[in-house]
Amino acid sequence: MFSLESITNSIHTWLNNTFNPTLALIFEFVIVGISVITLFAVLGLILVFMERKVSAYMQIRLGPNRVGFKGILQTLADTLKLAVKEGLTPDGADKFLFNLAPFVVMIVAMLILAPIPFAKGFQIWDINIGVLYVSAVSSVSVIGILMAGWASNNKYSLLGAMRSGAQIVSYELSAGLSIISIVVLTGSLQISQIVASQENGWWIFKGHIPAIISFVIFIIAVTAETNRAPFDLAEAESELTAGFHTEYSGMKFALFFLAEYVNIFIVCSIGAILFLGGWMPLHIGSWQGFNHVMDYIPSSVWFFAKVFFLIFVIMWFRWTFPRLRIDQLLNLEWKYLLPISMVNLLLMTLIAIMGWHF
């Protein structure tokens, strides 16, 4: 299979042959940082455009179709508009925390990208506790949201932030249990090993019905964690104006907006890695001919195809289901998803111990 590992190794070798080890490491950090920032910018443009086109398709509309070919430059025009808008800080706001909050949310998203393999041999940091790292760091993003709501000196922002905090903390439990069910099957927290364990089939197929249940619960939980409809109580326009980012404008608002879409990409990447094999092609048991043909498709194409499929599903949710009330949202988690997740984890553990998975 085509691998990007040769590219990263050649850059590493060239830097170490040209500069001393310390400078080479610094330059590698700079290259990775610029690459991540570029990825964020490109993802923001692509996913906002995709959201508009998907919503237009669901509602039998055209969507953006004026700026650029088929409206492809519309999101770039909106970005330029936000870049030139004045950033305002409300009277009575805690200026330091108010300005810090958008950066906290973005930095957390950047940190989570570290262990995600975008292709075979193309990963920033293959840490041996990758799944635990992602779960722990992703929990910090709620601090940025609470910080934004409290520092804005606005009752709507505070209510939105408190709702978001309750929502994220609640649904983290179900998402975490779904992730643990796959960790139980693989016996490893290292993301590269989880991908490698799916060489002869993805876990959603090999793990029987409990794996499918875990996948469904994971998708529902991460939709709620990213404050996406029908779980967008934190920024319910009809009730809270815009929720925790009501008082933000200009580039600070753009950072919150971008963070939402980057977080969607991240959670869908985790879903693709755990349940759909990550960059691993579709292999079926001993079908050597079929598996060999699948290997011709580049690993990066497999990864991004799976991720964007899951992103489409989450966008499909938004334009299909009505928004839940806050009591319905919390009832769904604590009375249904959490108990189902716990029982499902026990079943998955039994399957792993008995070796009943394929």
Side-chain angles (χ1 to χ4, degrees):
M1 169 179 277
F2 176 74
S3 172
L4 297 177
E5 194 169 4
S6 57
I7 298 173
T8 56
N9 287 338
S10 60
I11 293 172
H12 176 75
T13 304
W14 179 80
L15 285 173
N16 278 283
N17 291 338
T18 309
F19 305 100
N20 65 59
T22 304
L23 272 178
L25 185 62
I26 291 171
F27 282 129
E28 285 180 354
F29 287 161
V30 171
I31 292 170
V32 169
I34 293 172
S35 301
V36 168
I37 292 169
T38 304
L39 176 66
F40 272 34
V42 172
L43 279 176
L45 295 175
I46 292 173
L47 293 181
V48 173
F49 180 74
M50 180 179 171
E51 175 91 81
R52 290 174 168 180
K53 284 296 185 181
V54 168
S55 67
Y57 174 75
M58 297 292 173
Q59 300 169 355
I60 320 178
R61 297 186 291 107
L62 291 177
N65 60 358
R66 298 298 179 89
V67 185
F69 177 72
K70 300 289 187 180
I72 200 167
L73 297 179
Q74 181 65 55
T75 51
L76 182 61
D78 292 340
T79 303
L80 293 174
K81 180 196 74 172
L82 285 170
V84 299
K85 286 189 75 171
E86 182 182 2
L88 301 176
T89 304
D91 289 336
D94 186 319
K95 291 181 173 54
F96 176 72
L97 294 181
F98 182 83
N99 293 316
L100 179 64
F103 295 98
V104 170
V105 175
M106 284 299 296
I107 289 168
V108 169
M110 287 184 176
L111 290 172
I112 299 173
L113 277 181
I116 293 176
F118 296 96
K120 185 179 181 181
F122 198 77
Q123 191 174 5
I124 296 173
W125 187 24
D126 189 17
I127 184 174
N128 61 353
I129 53 167
V131 172
L132 179 61
Y133 171 87
V134 168
S135 301
V137 174
S138 62
S139 304
V140 181
S141 63
V142 71
I143 295 175
I145 292 172
L146 290 170
M147 194 183 294
W150 183 83
S152 294
N153 191 32
N154 181 308
K155 59 186 177 185
Y156 295 119
S157 298
L158 183 59
L159 281 170
M162 291 174 69
R163 281 184 176 186
S164 181
Q167 182 173 323
I168 291 174
V169 169
S170 298
Y171 279 85
E172 269 180 352
L173 299 172
S174 292
L177 289 173
S178 298
I179 291 171
I180 291 171
S181 66
I182 300 300
V183 172
V184 166
L185 281 177
T186 58
S188 174
L189 290 169
Q190 192 166 355
I191 288 178
S192 60
Q193 291 187 13
I194 292 174
V195 174
S197 69
Q198 301 175 76
E199 185 176 5
N200 61 343
W202 304 341
W203 280 123
I204 195 169
F205 302 129
K206 295 197 299 177
H208 296 294
I209 293 174
I212 297 172
I213 295 172
S214 290
F215 177 71
V216 172
I217 291 174
F218 178 82
I219 292 296
I220 295 171
V222 296
T223 303
E225 277 201 71
T226 50
N227 292 323
R228 295 279 301 176
F231 307 107
D232 59 338
L233 272 299
E235 46 191 84
E237 296 87 357
S238 57
E239 303 168 24
L240 303 177
T241 312
F244 60 89
H245 53 67
T246 297
E247 297 292 353
Y248 285 88
S249 59
M251 282 308 296
K252 287 194 283 287
F253 170 78
L255 287 177
F256 275 119
F257 197 64
L258 177 61
E260 177 183 334
Y261 284 98
V262 171
N263 285 331
I264 295 170
F265 175 82
I266 289 169
V267 297
C268 289
S269 299
I270 300 300
I273 289 165
L274 295 174
F275 299 97
L276 304 178
W279 53 261
M280 193 68 71
L282 177 60
H283 287 168
I284 301 177
S286 59
W287 293 17
Q288 296 301 326
F290 176 84
N291 296 345
H292 189 61
V293 171
M294 292 294 102
D295 286 342
Y296 278 106
I297 302 174
S299 56
S300 56
V301 173
W302 277 110
F303 177 78
F304 283 101
K306 294 170 187 176
V307 171
F308 275 91
F309 167 72
L310 294 181
I311 291 171
F312 171 76
V313 170
I314 287 179
M315 289 181 177
W316 193 357
F317 288 169
R318 175 173 183 176
W319 301 105
T320 304
F321 299 114
R323 181 184 296 134
L324 275 66
R325 297 195 312 267
I326 187 69
D327 60 313
Q328 293 171 331
L329 181 142
L330 293 176
N331 279 338
L332 175 64
E333 163 61 15
W334 292 101
K335 291 185 178 179
Y336 298 98
L337 293 186
L338 185 59
I340 293 171
S341 298
M342 295 172 72
V343 173
N344 192 60
L345 180 58
L346 289 175
L347 287 174
M348 189 66 86
T349 306
L350 180 63
I351 286 173
I353 291 172
M354 301 300 293
W356 289 340
H357 55 81
F358 295 112

